[in-house]
Amino acid sequence: MDIQKLKYFHTTAQLEHITKSAECLHISQPSLTQAIHSLEDELGVPLFRHQGRSVVLTEFGKYLKKRLDVLLPEFDHLSVEMDELKQSVTKTVKLNILAASTFVINTIVEYKKKNPDVIFDFEQNELKYNCDILITTNGLNMNHEKSYLRRCVKKENIYLAVPKDSNYAGASSIELRQVKDESFIMLSNTRLFGVICNKFCSVAGFYPKILFESDSPTAVQNIIGMGAGIAFWPEYSWGKLHNKNLKLLPISEPVCQRDLIIELHGRHPKSVYAEDFYNYLLEKL
């Protein structure tokens, strides 16, 4: 059913006059009459009957007008809603954050202060590639055959956070085997960073004695801040150490590093902020 014909009918139903309706619609009278007859033929019922120089609605016409009183405003607003949706979608940056989540979230907060219109939609899903930006690390079984527009691989050093009053605080670096008898605060093995850190300890010839284990990087950091035990500290992912009672020591042996991989993907519809935020992430590394 042609929406234009319905609009012609609705205007005529309101004015109940063909000539005035044609003038209001900025079309010729014959064109309006033809459109209404075409709609009547399509519906199989009469919508108007003539009464002098005016037209009046039939029962079918009254019913159709009543329905269109509700439907047409919705149709008219639909294009506005679609445009608003389009703007919302193109302003949205979809992120798949599989590593360095604390770093990424902090960067999002900073970026949004400068770009208040941007919308961030993020998730953690190893199987999903329908995103603008993917943040991952080595050790995940990702399908790297998937295409990306740009890719940055940054080496992230893993330090050891120790209390400043410990026997190790005066050293400029440390071998991991030196702390094999210490208590560790660790991310659980359900988190990839926890798995990586356990592998570092294994290479050093020991399994860590775990004082506390958590799924939350924030919780681990807070416990380190209390001076309880020691912990691995990823250089970029957790940011600078602000607790004056702690010290970060470079690990000289084994080499404790991981790759932070940041990819820009070509999602459709394209986000107007995706590439700019990708560059902003790289600037912060």
Side-chain angles (χ1 to χ4, degrees):
M1 193 177 297
D2 190 344
I3 186 67
Q4 192 67 60
K5 293 178 185 176
L6 292 174
K7 288 182 176 181
Y8 286 171
F9 161 78
H10 191 252
T11 298
T12 308
Q14 289 175 311
L15 298 177
E16 294 191 328
H17 199 285
I18 295 293
T19 303
K20 291 180 181 179
S21 298
E23 291 174 355
C24 180
L25 293 166
H26 304 292
I27 61 173
S28 67
Q29 182 176 326
S31 296
L32 176 58
T33 301
Q34 183 179 0
I36 291 174
H37 287 164
S38 175
L39 182 60
E40 289 176 325
D41 290 341
E42 186 175 350
L43 295 173
V45 294
L47 299 173
F48 294 102
R49 58 183 177 82
H50 287 278
Q51 184 173 299
R53 294 184 177 182
S54 301
V55 290
V56 294
L57 291 165
T58 65
E59 288 303 312
F60 300 108
K62 290 177 182 177
Y63 176 80
L64 182 58
K65 179 184 179 299
K66 183 178 179 180
R67 294 297 305 273
L68 292 177
D69 285 342
V70 177
L71 294 174
L72 284 182
E74 292 185 2
F75 274 117
D76 291 338
H77 195 62
L78 186 59
S79 61
V80 176
E81 292 177 350
M82 292 300 292
D83 186 60
E84 290 175 351
L85 178 60
K86 178 182 175 182
Q87 293 297 321
S88 172
V89 169
T90 57
K91 289 179 181 178
T92 298
V93 179
K94 296 193 72 172
L95 301 167
N96 194 357
I97 307 172
L98 301 175
S101 57
T102 302
F103 160 71
V104 176
I105 297 302
N106 289 339
T107 306
I108 286 173
V109 172
E110 291 179 18
Y111 186 83
K112 195 164 176 60
K113 289 178 181 177
K114 300 177 181 179
N115 303 274
D117 289 341
V118 66
I119 301 167
F120 286 98
D121 178 7
F122 46 88
E123 63 181 344
Q124 293 178 312
N125 190 334
E126 292 181 31
L127 303 177
K128 198 164 184 179
Y129 284 86
N130 184 30
C131 60
D132 295 299
I133 299 172
L134 171 67
I135 301 98
T136 183
T137 186
N138 50 320
L140 288 173
N141 296 318
M142 304 294 289
N143 182 1
H144 291 295
E145 294 181 1
K146 295 288 184 180
S147 61
Y148 51 83
L149 301 177
R150 292 170 60 190
R151 190 172 196 248
C152 174
V153 180
K154 185 80 172 181
K155 291 291 182 184
E156 180 178 42
N157 292 314
I158 311 299
Y159 296 109
L160 201 65
V162 301
K164 272 205 171 174
D165 59 1
S166 72
N167 296 329
Y168 313 107
S172 57
S173 65
I174 194 168
E175 293 183 17
L176 198 54
R177 62 180 178 82
Q178 292 177 247
V179 295
K180 63 183 179 65
D181 295 324
E182 300 295 333
S183 297
F184 279 79
I185 299 108
M186 300 279 280
L187 283 182
S188 72
N189 281 330
T190 61
R191 302 293 295 264
L192 182 62
F193 184 67
V195 175
I196 291 172
C197 293
N198 277 322
K199 287 182 179 179
F200 291 152
C201 294
S202 178
V203 171
F206 69 96
Y207 188 82
K209 292 193 301 181
I210 298 174
L211 173 68
F212 184 82
E213 190 175 61
S214 171
D215 287 330
S216 167
T218 302
V220 173
Q221 293 177 67
N222 289 339
I223 295 171
I224 298 170
M226 293 166 57
I230 63 176
F232 290 100
W233 189 285
E235 179 182 11
Y236 301 118
S237 301
W238 289 4
K240 295 180 179 179
L241 183 63
H242 298 292
N243 192 309
K244 295 180 180 179
N245 297 318
L246 299 180
K247 181 178 179 180
L248 292 183
L249 293 177
I251 301 171
S252 59
E253 189 179 336
V255 175
C256 294
Q257 289 181 331
R258 68 171 178 171
D259 291 337
L260 282 185
I261 304 164
I262 303 178
E263 296 177 351
L264 176 66
H265 288 243
R267 183 177 66 89
H268 296 286
K270 183 179 179 180
S271 169
V272 295
Y273 286 105
E275 187 167 3
D276 188 59
F277 182 68
Y278 173 83
N279 292 331
Y280 191 78
L281 277 172
L282 301 191
E283 289 174 9
K284 293 296 179 179
L285 286 174

Short mmCIF file of all heavy atoms in Angstrom, two decimals, residues 87-89 91-94 112 115-121 271 273:
data_model
loop_
_atom_site.label_atom_id
_atom_site.label_comp_id
_atom_site.label_asym_id
_atom_site.label_seq_id
_atom_site.Cartn_x
_atom_site.Cartn_y
_atom_site.Cartn_z
N GLN A 87 22.88 8.07 13.74
CA GLN A 87 23.86 8.90 14.43
C GLN A 87 24.42 8.17 15.65
O GLN A 87 25.62 8.21 15.91
CB GLN A 87 23.23 10.23 14.86
CG GLN A 87 22.84 11.14 13.71
CD GLN A 87 24.06 11.59 12.90
OE1 GLN A 87 25.11 11.87 13.45
NE2 GLN A 87 23.91 11.62 11.60
N SER A 88 23.52 7.49 16.37
CA SER A 88 23.94 6.76 17.56
C SER A 88 24.89 5.62 17.19
O SER A 88 25.93 5.43 17.84
CB SER A 88 22.72 6.20 18.30
OG SER A 88 23.10 5.35 19.34
N VAL A 89 24.55 4.87 16.14
CA VAL A 89 25.37 3.74 15.72
C VAL A 89 26.74 4.20 15.25
O VAL A 89 27.77 3.62 15.61
CB VAL A 89 24.66 2.93 14.61
CG1 VAL A 89 25.61 1.92 13.98
CG2 VAL A 89 23.43 2.23 15.18
N LYS A 91 28.30 6.83 16.09
CA LYS A 91 29.07 7.41 17.19
C LYS A 91 29.54 6.35 18.18
O LYS A 91 30.26 6.65 19.13
CB LYS A 91 28.23 8.45 17.93
CG LYS A 91 27.99 9.74 17.14
CD LYS A 91 27.13 10.71 17.93
CE LYS A 91 26.87 11.98 17.14
NZ LYS A 91 25.98 12.93 17.88
N THR A 92 29.11 5.10 17.98
CA THR A 92 29.44 4.02 18.90
C THR A 92 30.74 3.34 18.50
O THR A 92 30.92 2.97 17.33
CB THR A 92 28.31 2.98 18.94
OG1 THR A 92 27.11 3.61 19.42
CG2 THR A 92 28.66 1.83 19.87
N VAL A 93 31.64 3.17 19.46
CA VAL A 93 32.86 2.40 19.26
C VAL A 93 32.69 1.06 19.97
O VAL A 93 32.51 1.03 21.19
CB VAL A 93 34.09 3.14 19.81
CG1 VAL A 93 35.36 2.30 19.60
CG2 VAL A 93 34.24 4.51 19.16
N LYS A 94 32.71 -0.02 19.20
CA LYS A 94 32.55 -1.36 19.78
C LYS A 94 33.93 -1.94 20.06
O LYS A 94 34.77 -2.06 19.16
CB LYS A 94 31.76 -2.27 18.83
CG LYS A 94 30.33 -1.82 18.60
CD LYS A 94 29.50 -2.89 17.92
CE LYS A 94 29.19 -4.02 18.84
NZ LYS A 94 28.22 -4.99 18.28
N LYS A 112 36.48 10.07 26.73
CA LYS A 112 35.09 10.53 26.74
C LYS A 112 34.98 11.95 27.30
O LYS A 112 34.05 12.69 26.94
CB LYS A 112 34.22 9.56 27.53
CG LYS A 112 32.73 9.76 27.30
CD LYS A 112 31.93 8.57 27.75
CE LYS A 112 30.44 8.83 27.61
NZ LYS A 112 30.02 9.11 26.23
N ASN A 115 35.58 13.89 24.28
CA ASN A 115 34.61 13.61 23.22
C ASN A 115 33.32 13.10 23.85
O ASN A 115 33.04 11.89 23.81
CB ASN A 115 35.16 12.57 22.23
CG ASN A 115 36.48 13.00 21.62
OD1 ASN A 115 36.52 13.71 20.62
ND2 ASN A 115 37.58 12.57 22.23
N PRO A 116 32.51 13.98 24.44
CA PRO A 116 31.33 13.54 25.19
C PRO A 116 30.27 12.84 24.35
O PRO A 116 29.43 12.11 24.89
CB PRO A 116 30.78 14.85 25.78
CG PRO A 116 31.38 15.94 24.95
CD PRO A 116 32.70 15.45 24.48
N ASP A 117 30.28 13.03 23.02
CA ASP A 117 29.26 12.40 22.17
C ASP A 117 29.54 10.93 21.89
O ASP A 117 28.63 10.19 21.49
CB ASP A 117 29.15 13.14 20.83
CG ASP A 117 28.51 14.51 20.98
OD1 ASP A 117 27.84 14.72 22.01
OD2 ASP A 117 28.68 15.35 20.08
N VAL A 118 30.76 10.49 22.10
CA VAL A 118 31.11 9.11 21.75
C VAL A 118 30.41 8.13 22.70
O VAL A 118 30.20 8.42 23.87
CB VAL A 118 32.64 8.91 21.79
CG1 VAL A 118 33.17 9.06 23.21
CG2 VAL A 118 33.03 7.55 21.22
N ILE A 119 30.02 6.99 22.14
CA ILE A 119 29.38 5.91 22.91
C ILE A 119 30.28 4.69 22.83
O ILE A 119 30.70 4.29 21.74
CB ILE A 119 27.98 5.58 22.35
CG1 ILE A 119 27.08 6.83 22.37
CG2 ILE A 119 27.34 4.44 23.13
CD1 ILE A 119 25.81 6.67 21.56
N PHE A 120 30.58 4.07 23.97
CA PHE A 120 31.41 2.87 23.99
C PHE A 120 30.57 1.66 24.33
O PHE A 120 29.79 1.67 25.27
CB PHE A 120 32.55 3.02 25.00
CG PHE A 120 33.65 3.94 24.55
CD1 PHE A 120 33.68 5.26 24.99
CD2 PHE A 120 34.62 3.50 23.67
CE1 PHE A 120 34.69 6.11 24.57
CE2 PHE A 120 35.63 4.34 23.25
CZ PHE A 120 35.67 5.66 23.69
N ASP A 121 30.73 0.63 23.51
CA ASP A 121 30.05 -0.65 23.72
C ASP A 121 31.14 -1.71 23.78
O ASP A 121 31.83 -1.94 22.78
CB ASP A 121 29.07 -0.90 22.57
CG ASP A 121 28.35 -2.24 22.69
OD1 ASP A 121 28.51 -2.90 23.73
OD2 ASP A 121 27.65 -2.63 21.73
N SER A 271 32.18 3.43 12.52
CA SER A 271 32.13 4.41 13.61
C SER A 271 33.01 5.60 13.26
O SER A 271 34.15 5.43 12.81
CB SER A 271 32.62 3.78 14.91
OG SER A 271 32.82 4.77 15.89
N TYR A 273 34.31 7.53 15.33
CA TYR A 273 35.32 7.72 16.38
C TYR A 273 36.33 6.58 16.46
O TYR A 273 37.32 6.70 17.19
CB TYR A 273 34.63 7.85 17.74
CG TYR A 273 33.94 9.17 17.97
CD1 TYR A 273 32.55 9.26 17.91
CD2 TYR A 273 34.66 10.32 18.26
CE1 TYR A 273 31.91 10.48 18.13
CE2 TYR A 273 34.03 11.53 18.49
CZ TYR A 273 32.65 11.60 18.42
OH TYR A 273 32.02 12.80 18.64
#
